[in-house]
Amino acid sequence: MGSKVEEYMDWKGHKANPRNHGGARAAIITCVVEVLENMVFLSNATNFVTYFIKSMHYPTAEAANMVTNFLGTSFLLTIFGGFICDSFFTRFKTFIIFCVIELLGLIVLTFQALYHPLQPEPNRRSTHYQAAILYGGLYAIAVGVGGVKASLPAHGADQLDNGNQRSISAYFNWFFFCLCTGGLIASTVMIWIEENKGWNLSFEISIAALSVGLAIFAFGFPIYRFKHPKGSAIARIFKVFTSSARNWKASTTGVTGSSSSKFKILDKALIDDKISEREVEETKTFIGLLPIFVSTIMMNCCLAQLHTFSVQQGSIMKRNLNNFQIPTQSMTVFPLTIMLASIPLYEHFLNTFTKKVSNSAHSILHPLKRIGLGLVLASGAMAAAAIVEAKRRKTGADSATMSVFWLGWQYLLLGISDMLTLGGMLEFFYSEAPDSMRSICTALSWCSTSMGYFLSSVLVTITNYVSAKFGEQWLGGHDLNHTRLDLFYTILSVLNFFNFLNYIYWARRY
């Protein structure tokens, strides 16, 4: 569903000139900004569980759920950000507004970290006032992240020819490369600063980095091309559903249906003269994307473990490399490094193969195939994680110390799984989305991450409830040596495998 250049405007409101507006240079700016934005987001999110435990004195399980709820809310709010983009503001303006909100949240948390009366006394829980400030800053960041992540990738893709699928695919590959670069900086430099120089400096650097990203993005204003919103797509979809329900008994004889053969029941909405064929087609396309979206949620539930229980596992394992102690959160360096290397290699392979065999190379790793491969790896990752945790518990019981590098398997497999799944979803949802719904459909990629984190919290609660009925909670208490995290990981592996079978069904029908 490519968009014509004439549909885009320059900053003066005139038709965009392809020679002066948009193109690779404008798209590159969004990729540079993504490095800084994701560095700030991940450097805080990755270490929040430690901050909540050590500085704000929350119990381990509660701190883990606070992190997953924060991450889940951040990604869930991308749907709201996408709705704003498609309905009211340009993607450029949406990014500016929500980036400022994220900055304000960071400033609140920085002030709390600097001003000790706003932190609880040693061995005491936060007061209601202290908790209110923490949650206020935390969820201001979540709101900002929701709008930023919904608008930035779609804005960058808008700068390119949407009819050139190879160009769009390359953009999302390099966008993901920049996302991983930001994650690599967060997992190394920022974590070292947090553990050795304190949270105060970390928050201050985050504010500076996000401010620079905002300035760089705004600097490209004259060369961007903009697509002005066409009103609420959600309202149009609701209108189609309402009209279809109202006319479900009526005959469609003499009514021209939409071009899609799927969801023919929605063609009954065309009986209403106020419903256009384009609105029905838009609704059908959006509904068709939902099963793919739902099928990726379980993988993101597995991914959530890297930010919670994996961090706690590493904290009680041997982390010394000569005289250097490796921060557990820096284990993500290994999969990130592999992902960073794989993207240029993939692009080189695809470019070389395309020259020899026309454009068929794109079908080799079609977005749906990439997503499916990512789901398989997630199931394998949790199986490996269960084996490693069982071994770690045994060495812990024997008063031995197991190397943190054993966690590398779950970090590696889940990292590659995330690259394939998230990268595939961003490309797939943007390319398949109706022209007027690209932001909100791209946001489905992040929303899947959100639902995965929330599902993780639910599964932890259910697991503790059920296991308590048969003896002792698998995930209760502060000491992982007395929990059954290995069994919880096994459950996740099995659930994700069945989820993969469900995905195959829907992907073949798409």
Side-chain angles (χ1 to χ4, degrees):
M1 294 187 180
S3 299
K4 299 179 180 179
V5 173
E6 287 75 19
E7 296 180 1
Y8 291 90
M9 303 293 176
D10 64 13
W11 65 279
K12 295 180 180 179
H14 303 145
K15 288 183 179 179
N17 185 334
R19 291 178 298 180
N20 300 325
H21 306 104
R25 59 175 182 167
I28 287 172
I29 293 176
T30 64
C31 290
V32 173
V33 173
E34 177 59 19
V35 173
L36 296 169
E37 185 275 330
N38 205 47
M39 181 203 81
V40 171
F41 175 62
L42 288 183
S43 65
N44 288 304
T46 303
N47 247 358
F48 267 153
V49 67
T50 304
Y51 178 65
F52 294 155
I53 293 171
K54 293 185 176 180
S55 297
M56 303 305 293
H57 307 154
Y58 285 97
T60 301
E62 186 175 352
N65 277 346
M66 285 172 66
V67 172
T68 52
N69 290 339
F70 162 73
L71 292 169
T73 302
S74 299
F75 291 123
L76 180 64
L77 287 173
T78 57
I79 292 295
F80 174 69
F83 171 74
I84 296 295
C85 287
D86 290 331
S87 305
F88 304 109
F89 302 131
T90 63
R91 284 154 194 155
F92 172 86
K93 186 179 293 185
T94 302
F95 177 89
I96 296 294
I97 293 172
F98 283 91
C99 191
V100 169
I101 294 174
E102 185 178 352
L103 267 175
L104 292 175
L106 280 170
I107 290 171
V108 170
L109 291 187
T110 302
F111 183 69
Q112 186 172 40
L114 290 171
Y115 191 55
H116 292 293
L118 296 181
Q119 300 175 25
E121 296 293 329
N123 301 319
R124 288 192 176 184
R125 287 287 299 265
S126 302
T127 65
H128 292 303
Y129 178 66
Q130 291 165 342
I133 294 175
L134 175 65
Y135 278 97
L138 199 61
Y139 284 94
I141 294 175
V143 171
V145 168
V148 165
K149 290 194 177 294
S151 56
L152 189 60
H155 172 81
D158 282 348
Q159 308 308 310
L160 303 171
D161 178 8
N162 294 323
N164 186 339
Q165 187 58 42
R166 179 68 195 97
S167 174
I168 295 297
S169 179
Y171 164 74
F172 280 111
N173 282 336
W174 287 112
F175 183 87
F176 194 86
F177 178 88
C178 293
L179 183 148
C180 291
T181 302
L184 185 63
I185 298 172
S187 300
T188 52
V189 177
M190 293 301 292
I191 285 180
W192 184 88
I193 290 172
E194 288 163 357
E195 292 208 347
N196 295 276
K197 301 297 181 180
W199 278 91
N200 298 359
L201 181 59
S202 171
F203 281 135
E204 291 167 358
I205 292 175
S206 295
I207 291 174
L210 193 59
S211 298
V212 170
L214 179 60
I216 292 174
F217 184 79
F219 182 74
F221 180 68
I223 66 171
Y224 294 144
R225 64 179 193 174
F226 307 91
K227 184 165 187 183
H228 294 285
K230 298 180 179 179
S232 172
I234 300 298
R236 293 193 297 271
I237 290 174
F238 180 76
K239 187 170 63 172
V240 169
F241 275 125
T242 302
S243 181
S244 299
R246 187 167 57 245
N247 298 311
W248 74 281
K249 289 185 178 181
S251 172
T252 56
T253 303
V255 177
T256 303
S258 68
S259 58
S260 174
S261 60
K262 298 178 180 179
F263 312 114
K264 298 294 289 185
I265 186 66
L266 296 178
D267 287 339
K268 292 182 179 290
L270 294 171
I271 297 174
D272 189 338
D273 294 335
K274 295 181 180 179
I275 306 293
S276 70
E277 185 177 327
R278 180 174 180 176
E279 289 174 330
V280 172
E281 189 66 28
E282 178 184 72
T283 303
K284 287 183 175 182
T285 302
F286 181 72
I287 295 174
L289 296 175
L290 294 182
I292 303 297
F293 154 70
V294 173
S295 299
T296 61
I297 293 174
M298 191 63 216
M299 187 284 296
N300 285 297
C301 177
C302 299
L303 189 67
Q305 310 315 311
L306 295 186
H307 297 284
T308 54
F309 291 116
S310 293
V311 175
Q312 295 306 302
Q313 283 177 279
S315 66
I316 57 176
M317 296 173 75
K318 183 179 180 180
R319 294 185 288 150
N320 292 330
L321 186 62
N322 293 327
N323 294 323
F324 177 72
Q325 188 176 59
I326 302 171
T328 309
Q329 299 89 328
S330 291
M331 290 297 295
T332 54
V333 167
F334 302 110
L336 284 170
T337 302
I338 291 175
M339 285 187 280
L340 286 170
S342 66
I343 292 172
L345 289 174
Y346 170 75
E347 280 295 309
H348 175 74
F349 161 76
L350 206 57
N351 288 332
T352 302
F353 196 80
T354 299
K355 292 177 182 177
K356 296 180 179 180
V357 196
S358 184
N359 288 321
S360 62
H362 183 259
S363 65
I364 295 175
L365 276 182
H366 184 277
L368 287 178
K369 293 180 181 178
R370 291 170 63 185
I371 294 170
L373 181 56
L375 298 184
V376 170
L377 287 176
S379 191
M382 297 320 297
I387 294 172
V388 170
E389 172 59 12
K391 181 177 177 61
R392 188 205 63 78
R393 286 183 72 249
K394 185 176 184 303
T395 58
D398 295 338
S399 299
T401 304
M402 187 174 177
S403 172
V404 74
F405 285 105
W406 280 97
L407 297 182
W409 289 108
Q410 60 209 61
Y411 276 93
L412 176 62
L413 293 175
L414 281 174
I416 297 176
S417 172
D418 186 34
M419 176 196 72
L420 293 168
T421 306
L422 179 57
M425 283 194 293
L426 284 169
E427 179 185 345
F428 178 72
F429 289 135
Y430 181 89
S431 300
E432 297 294 320
D435 195 40
S436 59
M437 296 185 66
R438 283 207 164 104
S439 292
I440 200 167
C441 287
T442 303
L444 288 175
S445 306
W446 305 111
C447 188
S448 171
T449 304
S450 161
M451 302 306 292
Y453 283 117
F454 282 129
L455 179 60
S456 175
S457 294
V458 171
L459 288 179
V460 168
T461 302
I462 292 175
T463 298
N464 278 337
Y465 176 80
V466 174
S467 58
K469 295 288 186 180
F470 295 92
E472 188 177 353
Q473 289 185 343
W474 284 0
L475 305 173
H478 293 266
D479 187 357
L480 286 183
N481 289 328
H482 295 89
T483 66
R484 295 309 308 266
L485 183 59
D486 54 331
L487 297 181
F488 179 65
Y489 282 163
T490 302
I491 289 175
L492 292 183
S493 179
V494 173
L495 289 177
N496 199 69
F497 175 74
F498 284 113
N499 174 69
F500 170 67
L501 299 180
N502 171 67
Y503 171 80
I504 291 177
Y505 172 80
W506 291 110
R508 286 181 173 177
R509 288 173 61 89
Y510 186 80

